[in-house]
Amino acid sequence: AQKVTQAQTEISVVEKEDVTLDCVYETRDTTYYLFWYKQPPSGELVFLIRRNSFDEQNEISGRYSWNFQKSTSSFNFTITASQVVDSAVYFCALTSAGSRDDKIIFGKGTRLHILP
Amino acid sequence: DAGVTQSPTHLIKTRGQQVTLRCSPKSGHDTVSWYQQALGQGPQFIFQYYEEEERQRGNFPDRFSGHQFPNYSSELNVNALLLGDSALYLCASSVGGTGAYQPQHFGDGTRLSIL
């Protein structure tokens, strides 16, 4: 069975600090996709990144970076120089690849508070 | 460019009643998925509609049903409401009915409260 664990329920940091959100996943599939979504107070989930299981390259997008390590089944998300606008709930998600029968599994989320 | 729109924003019902939630996908999208998000939890997949048919379904009872219209908009119906159905219901759209591995665009959700 597939599973996504976000062990950090809630994190608070002061603005401009760096923060890393952890995500550990379980799957028996060799081909799968991992996602990060952001959920601000307004409620809608905003897609941040998708990574497939064959691409272990780390990615950087502005202040955001992602570290994917298959050896530890982790897909961690780092925000550099955090800002108050980064305050939200962040979800890591997992799905198998390519089949119309595949379903997406979300973690329970990490609530991030950026304090001014 | 209109994003995913959901209505109503909030809804209060009592146990045993029935409810219908509505969703219009992002312009250019033809696939709609519905999710239930309980307080403090991640979204749980209910089902996906493409070409006016239910293509995938999560672990939800038959009380949860849906429909997709020719204009790609969708409805989620829940019968015989239970207290445990209280949640934020999210609609997401994507393209081509290609499965959950496509990035999805989400609406703001409908907050359903059961008394």
Side-chain angles (χ1 to χ4, degrees):
Chain A
Q2 296 185 323
K3 186 177 180 181
V4 175
T5 301
Q6 296 180 254
Q8 304 152 308
T9 305
E10 203 159 343
I11 300 175
S12 294
V13 299
V14 177
E15 196 174 20
K16 298 183 183 177
E17 288 186 352
D18 299 347
V19 58
T20 295
L21 309 183
D22 298 332
C23 173
V24 174
Y25 63 92
E26 295 176 27
T27 181
R28 295 177 184 169
D29 297 319
T30 55
T31 305
Y32 51 90
Y33 287 86
L34 293 161
F35 300 81
W36 276 95
Y37 282 88
K38 173 183 180 180
Q39 187 175 40
S42 54
E44 89 280 16
L45 273 77
V46 177
F47 167 76
L48 296 177
I49 190 172
R50 180 185 69 178
R51 186 52 103 226
N52 74 54
S53 51
F54 296 109
D55 183 3
E56 287 194 74
Q57 275 192 327
N58 292 331
E59 177 151 342
I60 298 175
S61 176
R63 297 184 296 107
Y64 295 173
S65 62
W66 291 269
N67 182 281
F68 175 31
Q69 292 194 336
K70 287 178 73 172
S71 60
T72 55
S73 297
S74 65
F75 186 42
N76 296 336
F77 172 32
T78 298
I79 302 175
T80 302
S82 59
Q83 299 176 1
V84 173
V85 293
D86 296 326
S87 296
V89 182
Y90 291 85
F91 291 96
C92 180
L94 164 71
T95 187
S96 297
S99 165
R100 292 194 175 197
D101 294 329
D102 296 324
K103 302 171 184 59
I104 189 167
I105 305 296
F106 284 85
K108 292 187 176 182
T110 296
R111 183 174 296 276
L112 178 62
H113 300 278
I114 308 299
L115 308 173
Chain B
D1 180 18
V4 178
T5 58
Q6 293 187 241
S7 63
T9 306
H10 294 88
L11 205 49
I12 299 174
K13 292 285 187 179
T14 58
R15 282 180 297 175
Q17 285 189 313
Q18 177 264 344
V19 68
T20 297
L21 310 182
R22 296 177 176 81
C23 172
S24 292
K26 177 181 169 65
S27 178
H29 287 190
D30 57 10
T31 304
V32 173
S33 301
W34 287 92
Y35 295 83
Q36 181 194 67
Q37 185 179 14
L39 202 59
Q41 302 293 316
Q44 285 197 295
F45 174 74
I46 302 175
F47 42 52
Q48 181 185 82
Y49 276 83
Y50 173 64
E51 293 184 333
E52 301 180 47
E53 291 185 2
E54 182 182 294
R55 296 296 179 132
Q56 299 179 44
R57 189 178 183 92
N59 295 324
F60 280 80
D62 292 344
R63 299 187 297 108
F64 289 78
S65 63
H67 189 78
Q68 186 179 36
F69 299 93
N71 67 352
Y72 309 124
S73 66
S74 176
E75 288 181 350
L76 163 65
N77 301 293
V78 187
N79 295 321
L81 287 166
L82 304 173
L83 292 178
D85 295 332
S86 293
L88 179 68
Y89 287 84
L90 293 163
C91 172
S93 71
S94 55
V95 179
T98 45
Y101 68 95
Q102 289 288 1
Q104 298 178 75
H105 293 254
F106 284 80
D108 290 347
T110 294
R111 173 74 62 188
L112 176 62
S113 299
I114 311 301
L115 303 179

